[in-house]
């Protein structure tokens, strides 16, 4: 390897870390021929010398039809270990690889967890290097599993390295390390590589190749071999085409039978050797023997890898296929289809590829295949079949309908690359109202556009109306719900909110339906608040129905009904967790936000931390904003200043943040509390006040009321009480119209804290009576303020009781900045502040806390791993670190240690 010292150093460092049990993952990406495969081969040699076991796979275009194809190739050497896995994991892998008959394909994340356990067990015996080349062609199911595993290698002796022929790693990155963008070689390294490969080139030719290769290592190696006799027009071609032409030209010296064999291999690179020779024989109308293979090996065109044949470089395969005549390519596909009767999926791939122009019969067959795949729970297999079917139909409207269906399925399996490609090919002018609504649903899920929110919401409402009138009520309801959600996330104006609810009313829906309550909560909470809250009280949902529980929980959350929201979202999260639906689980973990206001800081920290990881993994960008903001809010309340500042920085640099007022108001709350706790009350007040200014980008017309207590605190400290009262002048009326817990707390708290001295005593008593029982932090904060007010009245003895109550509650929930304030006030009132007890969460990370709690409840390591989607060995590694931090030596002492360090979380 010449000119890749820095890249090799990075990869070797990762290899050394993995050998020490600290795994990771990285994607090497760049243009064709830039040296990705060569880098992987060099790393494989180093890994072998270091005692690693190596597992390899690579992507093949035709195998994108076959879910888990690349994964099956990867695991072939480790397949014996499958029989030793627990039954759920063994069944998941056997079903994925077709070893057992099942009605549906297993969920990708169930397969991912099974693969993780298999590889973790193997890595415990010998460190593993997993190499995945041509990731851009790997089937989406395998790619999702590889990404799942890659994100969970940190406690294992596993290094995952992928290579992709893409300019950006965004769609394929495992998401753990900064990915490696492989650039062309600089001039010095390029010259050294060329001289090493072709030392006797005449100076003019050497200079021409250096210029034409532009630092591409493969070009520097291959172009000298083709420089003699190469057509002059090659210099005018793009680099990749010049390389393909140079590769293909090398087949001119081999026999016709060998060229036919090479074309069959290029067309179906994973077929068994005997079958490829059979296809070549059919095409040549003569027996083609292994001599043709030997000829290709001798010409340095292919290599033998065990019993498999591989081209020396992926470009060589595409070069041979591209250079073949259209007639030869079509004939090869037909011949392959003829010999693949025992593999209907592959046969259909080649039948489709052997067809030019419209073919309604074949398109219908492809659609039937997609129907069957979808019915079997294999949407990833249906997507390429539908994509191919769309190319074979003549009718433009039918073609677009097929593309919309394919995009829906691609979105369902979180294949965002294919979703966007399919959406780009759909002709909006050919869509009927239901298809237009379906397309809008897909585009909203796959790529949320933050620009022009009001126009987009109105467009969604109008499209939902068309779908409803056309008889597609289910699609219309889903789209209207998404429009309503945007009214919350992007704080839609009064017009779009009213239009959404007016459209819902036009449908005359059942008033107690969960989606109806949620749409009304999202869109016009001040208009429907009293009615929605009353109906929520009367709803008795099916707790096994995760979708309904999520609807009810999210509707309660956005209006500030926090206790109810956590109850429903906890049930929804349990349902999604049991089903392995990680994207939906991430959404329900957004319920960590209301937990903050209920004093459940430990639980909120655990759920938000898990939510951030799952949202990153599943591409749930809006969810990520919410749980990341919750992480920052929890951090600032726990006194973890650097962590809170980091969370807000991450939030503000996210590409969706500028168009998401719901996240902006949360970021403002964190910033304001940081300033308040740092003794900068005037600065804090100005920050909080921005959330109540409709002209400010940090304003949110509903969520701003969660900041009302913070504004009041800052106003008292900064001497801006009159300004705060004016800013909150609308609160009494709005609290009457929306009597949710959030509004009750905002009104009661601010009435007391901002009250004049002559009415303060009565105001504090009334506020404490009015507060919802579950909002323990607000109660403790009122005790703190009451104690301060009593001290200002020179009633130090009376002040001690509320200050003591505040200190004890803040210590219990781990809100250290407020706990220290209470201690300071107690000392000023003449009482020692009391020893601060260490909160459990100060000793354990969020995930360690989850593991410790589950282990204390008697769950085994494997059960905990299945619950948290990590390997049982990761659970064991965490417990090994947890015990000394809690001062214990065994699992049996966990429950007592946790009980000694903290009381149970408050009931919800």
């Amino acid at each position: 390897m010449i000119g890749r010292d820095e890249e090799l150093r990075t990869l070797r460092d990762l290899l050394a870390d993995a050998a020490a049990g600290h795994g990771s993952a990285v994607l090497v990406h760049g243009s064709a021929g830039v040296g990705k495969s060569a880098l992987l081969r060099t790393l494989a040699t180093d890994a072998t010398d270091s005692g690693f076991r190596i597992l390899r796979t690579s992507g093949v275009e035709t195998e994108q039809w076959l879910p888990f194809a690349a994964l099956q190739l990867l695991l072939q050497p480790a397949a014996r270990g499958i029989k030793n896995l627990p039954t759920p994991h063994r069944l998941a892998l056997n079903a994925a690889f077709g070893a057992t008959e099942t009605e549906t394909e297993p969920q990708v994340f169930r397969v991912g967890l099974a693969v993780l356990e298999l590889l973790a067990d193997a890595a415990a015996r010998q460190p593993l290097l997993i190499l995945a080349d041509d990731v851009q062609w790997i089937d989406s199911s395998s790619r999702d599993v590889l990404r799942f595993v890659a994100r969970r290698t940190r406690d294992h002796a596993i290094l995952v390295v992928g290579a992709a022929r893409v300019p950006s790693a965004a769609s394929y990155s495992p998401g753990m390390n900064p990915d490696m963008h492989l650039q062309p070689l600089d001039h010095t390294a390029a010259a050294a590589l060329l001289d090493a490969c072709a030392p006797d080139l005449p100076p003019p030719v050497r200079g021409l190749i250096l210029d034409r290769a532009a630092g591409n290592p493969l070009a520097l190696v291959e172009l000298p071999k083709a420089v003699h006799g190469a057509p002059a027009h090659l210099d005018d071609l793009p680099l990749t085409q010049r390389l393909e032409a140079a590769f293909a030209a090398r087949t001119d010296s081999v026999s016709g039978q060998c060229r036919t064999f090479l074309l069959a291999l290029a067309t179906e690179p994973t077929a068994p050797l005997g079958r490829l020779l059979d296809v070549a024989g059919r095409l040549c109308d003569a027996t083609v023997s292994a001599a043709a293979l030997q000829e290709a090996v001798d010409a340095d065109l292919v290599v033998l890898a065990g019993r498999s044949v591989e081209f020396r470089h992926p470009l060589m395969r595409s070069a041979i296929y591209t250079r073949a005549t259209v007639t030869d390519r079509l004939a090869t596909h037909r011949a392959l289809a003829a010999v693949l009767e025992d593999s209907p999926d592959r046969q259909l791939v080649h039948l489709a590829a052997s067809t030019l122009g419209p073919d309604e019969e074949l398109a219908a067959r492809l659609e039937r295949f997609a129907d069957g795949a979808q019915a079997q729970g294999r949407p990833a297999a249906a997507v390429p079949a539908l994509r191919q079917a769309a190319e074979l139909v003549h009718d433009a409207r039918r073609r677009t309908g097929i593309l919309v269906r394919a995009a829906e399925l691609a979105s369902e399996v979180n294949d965002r690359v294919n979703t966007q490609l399919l959406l780009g090919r759909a002709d909006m002018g050919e869509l009927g109202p239901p298809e237009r609504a379906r397309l809008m649903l897909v585009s909203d899920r796959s790529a949320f556009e933050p620009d022009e929110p009001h126009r987009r919401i109105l467009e969604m409402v109008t499209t939902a109306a068309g779908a409803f009138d056309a008889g597609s009520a289910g699609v219309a309801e889903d789209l209207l719900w998404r429009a309503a959600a945007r009214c919350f996330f992007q704080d839609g104006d009064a017009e779009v909110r009213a239009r959404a609810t007016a459209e819902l009313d036009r449908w005359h829906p059942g008033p107690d339906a969960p989606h109806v309550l949620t749409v009304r909560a999202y869109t016009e909470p001040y208009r429907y608040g009293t009615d929605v809250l009353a109906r929520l009280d009367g709803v008795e949902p099916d707790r096994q129905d995760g979708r309904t529980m999520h609807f009810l929980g999210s509707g309660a959350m956005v209006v500030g009904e926090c206790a109810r929201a956590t109850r429903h979202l906890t049930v929804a999260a349990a349902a999604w967790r049991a089903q392995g639906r990680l994207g939906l689980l991430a959404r329900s973990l957004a319920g960590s936000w209301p937990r903050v206001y209920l004093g459940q800081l430990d639980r909120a920290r655990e759920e938000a931390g898990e939510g951030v990881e799952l949202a990153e993994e599943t591409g749930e960008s809006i969810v990520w904003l919410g749980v990341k903001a919750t992480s920052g809010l929890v951090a600032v309340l726990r006194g973890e200043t650097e962590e809170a500042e980091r969370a807000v920085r991450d939030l503000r640099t996210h590409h969706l943040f500028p168009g998401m007022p719901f996240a902006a108001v949360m970021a403002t709350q964190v910033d304001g509390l940081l300033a308040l706790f740092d003794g900068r009350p005037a600065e804090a007040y100005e920050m909080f006040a921005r959330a109540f200014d409709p002209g400010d980008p940090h304003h949110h017309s509903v969520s701003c009321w969660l900041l009302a207590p913070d504004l009041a605190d800052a106003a008292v400290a900064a001497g801006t009480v009159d300004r705060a009262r004016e800013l909150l002048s609308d609160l009494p009326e709005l609290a009457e119209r929306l009597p949710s817990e959030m509004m009750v707390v905002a009104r009661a708290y601010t009435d007391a804290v901002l009250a004049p001295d002559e009415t303060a005593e009565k105001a504090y008593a009334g506020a404490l009576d009015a507060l919802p029982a579950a909002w323990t932090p607000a109660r403790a904060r009122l005790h703190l303020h009451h104690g301060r007010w009593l001290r200002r009245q020179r009633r130090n003895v009376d002040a001690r009781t509320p200050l003591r109550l505040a200190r004890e509650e803040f210590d219990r929930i781990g809100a250290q900045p407020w706990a220290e304030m209470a201690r300071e006030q107690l000392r000023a009132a003449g009482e020692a502040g009391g020893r601060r007890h260490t909160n459990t969460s100060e000793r354990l990370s969020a995930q360690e806390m989850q593991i410790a709690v589950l282990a204390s409840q008697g769950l085994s390591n494997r059960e905990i791993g299945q619950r948290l989607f990590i390997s049982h060995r990761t659970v064991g590694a965490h417990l090994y670190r947890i015990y000394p931090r809690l001062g214990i030596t065994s699992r049996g002492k966990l429950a007592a240690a946790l009980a000694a360090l903290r009381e149970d979380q408050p009931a919800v």
Side-chain angles (χ1 to χ4, degrees):
M1 293 292 289
I2 294 175
R4 298 298 187 202
D5 293 347
E6 183 178 344
E7 290 86 355
L8 280 172
R9 187 179 307 112
T10 298
L11 291 174
R12 284 165 177 161
D13 287 346
L14 294 177
L15 201 65
D17 289 342
H22 308 297
S24 58
V26 67
L27 181 76
V28 182
H29 61 100
S31 59
V34 79
K36 304 180 294 296
S37 299
L39 202 60
L40 264 59
R41 286 195 298 270
T42 302
L43 183 65
T45 301
D46 291 348
T48 300
D49 293 342
S50 300
F52 275 71
R53 183 183 185 186
I54 301 172
L55 301 178
R56 291 182 172 88
T57 192
S58 61
V60 178
E61 299 99 308
T62 54
E63 293 201 336
Q64 293 181 75
W65 290 59
L66 309 173
F68 304 113
L71 183 66
Q72 190 167 16
L73 176 63
L74 176 78
L75 296 181
Q76 278 179 354
R80 290 183 179 179
I82 294 177
K83 67 179 184 298
N84 299 321
L85 292 174
T87 300
H89 299 325
R90 187 173 66 254
L91 292 177
L93 286 180
N94 287 338
F97 300 152
T100 58
E101 291 293 332
T102 57
E103 292 185 1
T104 62
E105 185 178 286
Q107 286 280 341
V108 163
F109 295 113
R110 291 193 186 281
V111 178
L113 188 56
V115 172
L116 178 64
E117 291 283 22
L118 178 68
L119 296 178
D121 287 344
R125 297 186 293 272
Q126 182 181 9
L128 293 180
L129 173 62
I130 295 173
L131 299 176
D133 208 350
D134 283 327
V135 171
Q136 76 280 357
W137 290 329
I138 286 179
D139 64 275
S140 62
S141 300
S142 294
R143 196 165 63 236
D144 285 344
V145 170
L146 286 171
R147 186 182 285 121
F148 179 94
V149 171
R151 295 179 65 86
R152 291 162 175 79
T153 57
R154 63 175 63 93
D155 293 309
H156 304 291
I158 302 173
L159 174 61
V160 179
V161 182
R165 193 190 301 181
V166 289
S168 169
S171 300
Y172 301 101
S173 171
M176 289 183 58
N177 284 302
D179 293 307
M180 184 180 292
H181 185 193
L182 212 56
Q183 302 281 2
L185 299 176
D186 61 32
H187 182 77
T188 301
L193 178 58
L194 180 60
D195 292 341
C197 296
D200 301 323
L201 287 175
V205 176
R206 178 180 182 276
L208 180 64
I209 290 176
L210 281 174
D211 179 59
R212 294 289 188 258
N216 183 285
L218 187 64
L220 291 162
V221 171
E222 295 297 336
L223 288 181
K225 302 174 184 177
V227 73
H228 298 295
H233 75 270
L234 287 185
D235 290 342
D236 299 326
L237 294 175
L239 175 61
T240 300
Q241 292 183 31
R242 287 202 303 273
L243 275 170
E244 287 183 343
F247 277 137
R250 290 169 56 189
T251 65
D252 291 344
S253 61
V254 301
S255 67
Q257 287 191 351
C258 181
R259 280 196 299 273
T260 303
F261 167 77
L262 289 171
L263 179 56
L265 176 62
T267 308
E268 182 54 83
T270 61
L273 175 58
R275 192 160 288 186
L276 291 172
L277 293 172
D278 182 14
V279 168
R282 288 170 180 254
L283 292 168
C284 293
D285 198 20
T287 301
V288 176
S289 68
L293 167 62
Q294 187 60 53
E295 194 177 351
V297 171
D298 293 342
D300 204 22
L301 295 168
V302 300
V303 294
L304 286 172
R307 297 190 176 189
S308 300
V309 186
E310 297 176 358
F311 284 102
R312 285 188 53 252
H313 193 277
L315 267 181
M316 190 172 290
R317 175 164 59 85
S318 58
I320 288 172
Y321 185 84
T322 303
R323 196 188 190 204
T325 65
V326 173
T327 302
D328 287 344
R329 289 204 298 264
L330 295 179
T332 303
H333 282 295
R334 283 195 295 270
L336 281 162
V339 302
L340 288 170
E341 291 182 350
D342 59 338
S343 180
D345 293 5
R346 291 181 184 272
Q347 183 184 49
L348 201 53
V349 172
H350 291 291
L351 281 176
S354 69
T355 304
L356 288 179
D359 187 328
E360 297 291 340
E361 182 180 347
L362 182 56
R365 183 174 172 184
L366 287 163
E367 286 191 272
R368 288 195 297 273
F369 170 85
D371 291 341
Q374 188 175 1
Q376 295 165 8
R378 299 192 300 140
V383 171
L386 291 171
R387 185 177 60 218
Q388 188 70 47
E391 296 179 1
L392 298 175
V393 298
H394 187 269
D395 182 72
R397 182 164 186 176
R398 185 180 167 210
R399 181 188 312 118
T400 295
I402 294 172
L403 289 171
V404 170
R405 181 184 171 195
E408 286 176 314
L409 292 174
S411 176
E412 182 181 321
V413 297
N414 205 34
D415 187 354
R416 294 172 186 268
V417 174
N418 261 319
T419 302
Q420 290 302 309
L421 290 174
L422 292 161
L423 289 174
R425 290 173 56 192
D427 185 351
M428 293 289 288
E430 297 293 339
L431 294 175
E435 291 79 13
R436 188 181 296 274
R438 288 163 53 202
L439 190 63
M440 189 168 283
L441 276 171
V442 174
S443 63
D444 193 66
R445 286 194 298 264
S446 63
F448 191 97
E449 313 92 344
D451 300 331
E452 299 186 74
H454 299 142
R455 179 194 61 77
R456 177 70 171 178
I457 294 170
L458 285 174
E459 185 180 358
M460 294 170 79
V461 172
T462 301
T463 305
F468 185 85
D469 291 341
S472 295
V475 174
E477 289 173 0
D478 282 349
L479 187 56
L480 190 64
W481 177 80
R482 285 195 164 269
R486 280 180 176 251
C487 286
F488 171 73
F489 294 130
Q490 300 184 279
D491 202 18
D493 63 19
E495 179 186 357
V496 300
R497 289 173 178 270
R499 285 281 296 276
T501 53
E503 182 57 36
L504 180 67
D505 291 341
R506 189 175 73 87
W507 300 350
H508 303 293
D512 294 320
H515 77 276
V516 172
L517 296 176
T518 304
V519 167
R520 287 179 172 156
Y522 272 138
T523 52
E524 294 194 281
Y526 299 121
R527 177 183 175 187
Y528 291 104
T530 301
D531 181 66
V532 167
L533 292 174
R535 292 186 183 280
L536 283 172
D537 284 335
V539 171
E540 296 183 3
D542 178 1
R543 295 174 63 87
Q544 303 303 313
D545 183 351
R547 187 170 184 267
T548 296
M549 298 304 296
H550 182 85
F551 270 140
L552 295 173
S554 63
M557 180 174 69
V558 300
V559 297
E561 195 71 1
C562 291
R564 192 193 314 267
T566 55
R567 284 199 303 272
H568 291 330
L569 290 174
T570 297
V571 175
W576 303 139
R577 192 182 296 280
Q579 296 173 31
R581 304 181 71 174
L582 301 197
L584 293 173
L585 174 58
R587 294 182 193 181
S588 291
L589 289 174
S592 57
W593 180 28
R595 289 191 189 279
V596 175
Y597 302 97
L598 304 179
Q600 301 172 13
L601 296 190
D602 286 355
R603 184 79 176 270
R605 183 177 70 125
E606 295 162 16
E607 292 184 355
E610 185 181 13
V612 167
E613 292 194 0
L614 292 180
E616 289 175 350
E617 187 163 10
T618 57
E620 293 282 352
S621 298
I622 298 175
V623 173
W624 184 90
L625 291 172
V627 288
K628 174 61 76 169
T630 302
S631 294
L633 184 57
V634 171
V636 71
L637 295 181
R638 284 164 46 87
E640 298 165 348
T641 300
E642 292 183 4
E643 179 62 30
E645 291 172 342
R646 187 181 309 114
V648 172
R649 280 197 305 272
D650 291 345
L651 268 179
R652 293 188 180 278
T653 55
H654 193 280
H655 71 283
L656 289 183
F657 182 83
M660 294 292 170
F662 94 99
V665 75
M666 296 173 75
T668 297
Q669 185 174 24
V670 177
D671 283 336
L673 288 171
L674 284 168
L676 188 63
F677 293 157
D678 193 41
R680 296 175 281 128
E683 185 178 340
Y685 178 84
E686 296 302 327
M687 290 180 182
F688 293 135
R690 296 178 68 182
F692 296 87
D693 178 3
D696 193 281
H698 296 80
H699 169 73
H700 191 283
S701 59
V702 181
S703 297
C704 64
W705 299 113
L706 288 169
L707 278 63
D710 306 320
L711 180 83
D713 287 359
V716 171
T720 54
V721 169
D722 289 340
R723 287 174 58 193
R725 288 174 183 152
E726 182 178 352
L727 206 58
L728 301 174
S729 59
D730 291 340
L731 177 55
E733 178 194 352
L734 295 177
E736 291 292 332
R737 294 162 59 186
L738 175 62
S740 67
E741 292 173 346
M742 170 184 70
M743 302 301 285
V744 170
V745 169
R747 184 176 183 180
Y749 191 97
T750 57
D751 280 352
V753 172
L754 301 179
D757 285 345
E758 56 269 23
T759 61
E761 190 78 65
K762 183 178 179 181
Y764 278 113
L768 288 168
D769 287 340
L771 288 182
W775 285 60
T776 54
R779 185 174 301 278
R781 291 171 68 178
L782 268 181
H783 283 313
L784 173 59
H785 269 286
H786 188 201
R788 280 173 166 164
W789 180 82
L790 289 169
R791 282 197 57 248
R792 290 198 300 272
Q793 307 306 308
R794 301 183 182 280
R795 296 167 57 185
N796 282 345
V797 174
D798 293 339
R800 293 172 189 168
T801 297
L803 291 174
R804 204 178 298 122
L805 290 171
R807 179 200 65 199
E808 291 170 358
E809 180 60 23
F810 291 139
D811 274 345
R812 188 184 70 80
I813 67 176
Q816 292 313 315
W818 280 322
E820 291 305 319
M821 290 180 188
R823 281 189 177 76
E824 182 181 338
Q825 290 294 315
L826 270 172
R827 286 192 292 269
E831 180 178 309
R835 183 174 66 85
R836 182 174 78 85
H837 297 282
T838 302
N839 186 277
T840 316
S841 60
E842 295 178 51
R843 301 187 181 188
L844 306 180
S845 71
Q847 190 175 70
E848 287 170 342
M849 176 70 77
Q850 285 180 300
I851 290 171
V853 170
L854 292 172
S856 72
Q857 294 170 354
L859 274 69
S860 69
N861 287 6
R862 287 197 185 275
E863 290 170 332
I864 295 171
Q866 290 174 22
R867 182 81 63 91
L868 301 181
F869 301 99
I870 56 179
S871 82
H872 74 283
R873 293 184 182 277
T874 294
V875 174
H878 278 302
L879 287 172
Y880 182 78
R881 293 190 289 267
I882 288 169
Y883 294 156
R885 291 181 190 174
L886 296 182
I888 61 177
T889 58
S890 69
R891 192 187 205 95
K893 298 178 180 179
L894 267 174
L898 292 174
L901 283 170
R902 70 173 187 180
E903 298 175 14
D904 292 336
Q905 290 287 349
V908 179

